[in-house]
Amino acid sequence: MMDRYTPWQLVGIYAAMAVFLTFILLPFVEMFMVSLRPLDHLRSTPYRFWSEEFNFGAYSRMWETVPLLGRYILNSVYIAGMVTALTMIFVIPAAYAYARLQFPFKSLSLGLFLGVNMFTGAVLLIPLYRVLRTLGLLNTYWAMIVPGVAFLIPTGIWLLRSYLEKIPRELEEAAYVDGASRLYTLRRVVLPLAVPGLIVVGVAVFIGAYAQQFLFAITFNQVREYQPLPAGLFEFIGYQDVTWNEMMAASLTGVLPVMIIFLFLQKYLVAGLTAGAVKE
């Protein structure tokens, strides 16, 4: 593939990739450097990126500053995991229906799903609050799970539908000839073939659920023990001071679950993202 490009084109491609990766990774590098520096260096003027007193003390002190930090991280993983599981339960049959069935207003409803993604959670906070209060879900885990599922279902349907459309219809038709029902065909024929796509959609939903917890947590939950990590980080802000190094250390620690999941599922993600990219 690379033989098709001239040396100058390759230089341009790699330069663009380097610029892109720099913008993506630089905030994480800065967070890590801040977590290693003492507070007095962080307040110094002019700003000092390098310090002779780098240490990992913030990574041990953060558990003392915020005793429930471990609980907050587990809450974030639990909420994101529940959102992902429930979203996939709704997304799989819906995406299959949009990929295989013909029904009235199919294109219109797909457009409406795409329109839902244009609204941020902040726009719907007041009606969501009233709905959750009516259902008695405020100050529970479900107050953060239910809105997360509602906002991520449209994204999941669009992603999985495009993948299911690449699976040959002939495989399903052969199962129908043998007397299999549509539900049986979905379970035994389609889903095993769609595992890479399911993993891609599941990871995308998990990352989205992990990233959107803050707004729902500070609006729909006031119980400290149920707070996810983004809301729990506020406890590093004191009345007179902010322990920035410990906050950055806690933030990086909270990102680890997502990084571990990504690393373990990396080969499946690549297989799912590249499936159908080349015609045989």
Side-chain angles (χ1 to χ4, degrees):
M1 185 69 178
M2 288 299 183
D3 296 339
R4 301 179 182 179
Y5 298 101
T6 65
W8 285 110
Q9 288 176 326
L10 289 176
V11 170
I13 291 173
Y14 285 117
M17 291 173 59
V19 172
F20 176 76
L21 290 175
T22 299
F23 276 99
I24 293 295
L25 297 177
L26 192 58
F28 292 96
V29 173
E30 175 64 12
M31 289 172 64
F32 181 68
M33 298 297 288
V34 170
S35 70
L36 300 181
R37 291 156 58 193
L39 279 177
D40 57 342
H41 283 223
L42 297 176
R43 303 191 190 97
S44 63
T45 304
Y47 182 75
R48 298 165 58 186
F49 181 77
W50 190 261
S51 172
E52 295 78 18
E53 302 179 19
F54 283 141
N55 64 81
F56 288 89
Y59 288 88
S60 59
R61 293 193 303 271
M62 66 182 184
W63 307 102
E64 302 172 2
T65 304
V66 181
L68 289 178
L69 180 61
R71 176 70 180 267
Y72 296 152
I73 296 175
L74 291 177
N75 286 343
S76 287
V77 175
Y78 172 73
I79 293 170
M82 288 293 294
V83 169
T84 303
L86 292 174
T87 300
M88 294 303 292
I89 290 174
F90 290 106
V91 162
I92 291 173
Y96 178 76
Y98 278 106
R100 289 292 189 259
L101 304 182
Q102 296 297 328
F103 51 88
F105 307 110
K106 177 180 176 180
S107 299
L108 177 61
S109 56
L110 266 176
L112 290 176
F113 280 136
L114 186 62
V116 169
N117 284 342
M118 299 174 63
F119 293 92
T120 64
V123 177
L124 301 174
L125 282 182
I126 294 177
L128 279 174
Y129 183 90
R130 298 190 62 175
V131 170
L132 293 173
R133 186 181 62 180
T134 302
L135 297 175
L137 298 179
L138 292 178
N139 299 322
T140 67
Y141 285 122
W142 292 104
M144 295 163 281
I145 293 173
V146 172
V149 172
F151 278 98
L152 289 171
I153 283 178
T155 302
I157 291 175
W158 271 91
L159 291 175
L160 188 58
R161 166 184 165 268
S162 61
Y163 188 89
L164 294 179
E165 287 179 338
K166 299 172 184 176
I167 298 177
R169 292 177 180 265
E170 291 77 9
L171 298 174
E172 299 174 58
E173 293 172 356
Y176 297 149
V177 171
D178 292 336
S181 65
R182 189 173 292 276
L183 183 59
Y184 182 90
T185 304
L186 173 62
R187 285 193 299 114
R188 297 301 180 89
V189 178
V190 177
L191 292 185
L193 295 173
V195 168
L198 293 174
I199 293 176
V200 170
V201 176
V203 171
V205 170
F206 183 88
I207 294 175
Y210 207 85
Q212 69 178 9
Q213 296 171 357
F214 174 74
L215 191 62
F216 299 143
I218 63 174
T219 307
F220 305 137
N221 176 57
Q222 302 298 323
V223 179
R224 187 183 178 197
E225 287 74 12
Y226 296 158
Q227 293 285 20
L229 179 64
L233 291 176
F234 270 105
E235 296 189 19
F236 288 101
I237 302 176
Y239 288 105
Q240 298 180 342
D241 199 2
V242 180
T243 53
W244 290 109
N245 50 1
E246 296 178 21
M247 182 185 289
M248 294 301 103
S251 300
L252 290 174
T253 304
V255 174
L256 285 179
V258 178
M259 294 181 62
I260 292 172
I261 291 173
F262 182 85
L263 290 175
F264 273 104
L265 299 178
Q266 184 177 9
K267 62 178 182 180
Y268 300 104
L269 290 172
V270 173
L273 291 172
T274 57
V278 179
K279 276 191 174 182
E280 297 182 358

